[in-house]
Amino acid sequence: MSIERLLIIGQTDLSAYVTQDGLNVKYTPVYDESSAFTAIDGNDVRDLLGYKVTISAVLEDITDTEASAMAETMLADTPYSVGFAFPDARTEQFETVSLSLEPICGTAENNYWSAAFVIVSRVIPLDSL
């Protein structure tokens, strides 16, 4: 697996800002609750539809341009494309749960930002995993 492209939100490649502990990718199973039944052994059984992916990250020293592009993409009312590399490189549609941008320093030419966010994918069907 290549780690050159760890995180791309919309058209903005933020991979250079990902640190070892700054990115968390979590897969959560999504079940069809209408298919639930109790098996003869007493275990509850239901069909697995797919997974949702939750990505949380803290990125430091992002430039004005990248912070602006992130905000524009992540605060839109429509789902947006996110490329990520866990466990393999893939691109899915995500929605923003939370986004925080905080200025951390500035120069005459550029301001730098700290970004923290949580995003969640739509359900990824099993056949596309």
Side-chain angles (χ1 to χ4, degrees):
M1 169 182 73
S2 171
I3 58 170
E4 293 173 359
R5 296 174 90 53
L6 286 176
L7 183 64
I8 302 168
I9 296 177
Q11 301 300 316
T12 307
D13 188 350
L14 299 166
S15 302
Y17 302 102
V18 175
T19 61
Q20 183 173 354
D21 296 324
L23 181 66
N24 183 9
V25 179
K26 177 182 174 183
Y27 284 79
T28 304
V30 176
Y31 296 97
D32 178 4
E33 296 302 328
S34 67
S35 71
F37 67 94
T38 302
I40 198 164
D41 62 1
N43 288 321
D44 290 331
V45 178
R46 54 201 167 153
D47 292 335
L48 179 63
L49 296 175
Y51 291 86
K52 280 192 172 188
V53 177
T54 302
I55 298 176
S56 57
V58 175
L59 309 174
E60 299 290 338
D61 298 329
I62 298 172
T63 65
D64 273 336
T65 303
E66 290 152 332
S68 177
M70 276 181 64
E72 183 178 333
T73 300
M74 295 175 78
L75 297 177
D77 287 338
T78 58
Y80 49 89
S81 173
V82 175
F84 58 102
F86 295 96
D88 56 353
R90 63 182 312 118
T91 300
E92 297 295 340
Q93 295 294 306
F94 280 75
E95 294 178 351
T96 304
V97 174
S98 65
L99 171 63
S100 171
L101 289 166
E102 180 180 337
I104 53 176
C105 67
T107 65
E109 297 83 35
N110 250 334
N111 292 311
Y112 293 92
W113 299 80
S114 173
F117 61 86
V118 177
I119 56 177
V120 177
S121 74
R122 294 180 168 183
V123 175
I124 303 168
L126 287 177
D127 59 357
S128 68
L129 286 173

